[in-house]
Amino acid sequence: MATMALATLVHPTGSHPASWLHPSAHPGASMDIGYYRDMARLAERGMFDLFFIADTPAARTSQLEAYARFPLFMNVFEPLTLLAALAGATTHIGLGGTASTSFSEPYNIARQFASLDHISGGRAAWNVVTSANDFAARNFGLDRLPPHGDRYERAREFVDVARKLWDTWEDGAFLRDRESGLFFDPAKQHPVAHEGRHFRVNGALNIERVPQGQPVIIQAGASDTGREFAAETAELVFASDSTLEAGRRFYADLKGRMARYERPPEALKVLAGLPAIVADSEQEAEDMYQTLQALIHPDVGRMRLGMDLEADLSGLPLDEPIPPERIPASANLHKAYFEHILGMIREGLTLRQLYMRYERGNKTIRGTPKQVADHMEEWFTGGAADGFMLTFGLLPLGMRDFIEKVVPELQRRGLVKREWRGRTLRENVGLERPAWRRA
């Protein structure tokens, strides 16, 4: 029987915007490497396949009164540096990180992820993003991000060049043969000669082909452009649908696009987003959720909602609907989140009701181990997911509860592995190692 892939998105104290205020949280977690090592080892003991670090290459520079209460990404490690440190503290779990195609060059990213794959023995994964905030754009000489379609066009070429660079060398090119005096076989080097709209590369990567053949490519775009990009390039996709029916539609749509790129459906694994709070009773789980919700400051609520609505909501009354003139006509950043908020606005909700309900995609599942396992089994066996990207509102408590209470139940049902399938991330999630190909 096939088993589901498990991944976890790790924000230092948890994914809830007020998690750092909870008494069980470690307020200094974001800069504590020992804490991250403990978290990665915990996830590995729980048979998670992937430990994932999200990122943005920017600190916020406006609305600081709100961000001072919601410090996400304001004081964090650069993800590839962090993941390299975690490689030595773990043995099997995959190590994934975000790197933007909008503010780097393919050679840099290809070299960094190849290095991580070698350091970890074949466990690296790159979450390909185009970035989605203008704070990042201003760090790289731009006033604002380019249009959505232009960013994806650049990303598509970026990934193409990176993959060519990863195949600079054939497998086995580095002989290290003292008898012949050859360190590598010159015939097995294949320099890249690429000239496109965005990049011009004429050279070779100075690192041998990685244990996985190539690092695993992750993508999370939910727009039509993002789905097409994922169908062409991605191997793991983070989905954010909140209902089983929507999850099935996304799953079928995405896998149905792959034939255009001569890719079989099994070459891509869809991981449904799953924020989860697990407790011995449904009421206990609900109480934990409401405890966290009560810690959200109104300034944080306005700011988080306004960020994805791409609107300034400061100064608006909390207990009235958002005035129509403050709502943009369209989105340039996260189109799926924007449309979700518009749908809630049409329900006539007040600003306070909006920010208390809005969870950036998936709704938090609150329940007993059986209830959470039932939910996961329904999605996995019902054609909506190949696995799950788990987030926990509060860390490390939420992850520990899930591992101790839900994972054994999933294993009892034969839905989660009890032993590692192999050494690499590809082996453990059921992805083939790509054969070397000439650029």
Side-chain angles (χ1 to χ4, degrees), residues 117-140:
D117 206 61
H118 280 291
I119 289 168
S120 65
R123 296 184 281 139
W126 170 26
N127 180 38
V128 180
V129 303
T130 66
S131 292
N133 70 75
D134 292 331
F135 297 104
R138 292 193 286 271
N139 281 340
F140 296 90

Side-chain angles (χ1 to χ4, degrees), residues 1 4 6 244 274-279 365-382 385 387-388 390 392 401-416:
M1 178 180 178
M4 62 180 67
L6 296 181
L244 179 61
L274 182 62
I277 295 178
V278 185
I365 302 299
R366 289 98 76 178
T368 66
K370 182 182 183 305
Q371 288 172 320
V372 174
D374 287 347
H375 174 92
M376 295 174 74
E377 182 172 12
E378 184 178 27
W379 279 60
F380 179 62
T381 61
F388 296 89
L390 291 147
F392 302 102
D401 284 345
F402 183 89
I403 289 170
E404 291 178 356
K405 300 171 187 286
V406 180
V407 170
E409 175 63 18
L410 293 171
Q411 288 175 327
R412 185 186 66 77
R413 302 182 190 193
L415 296 171
V416 167

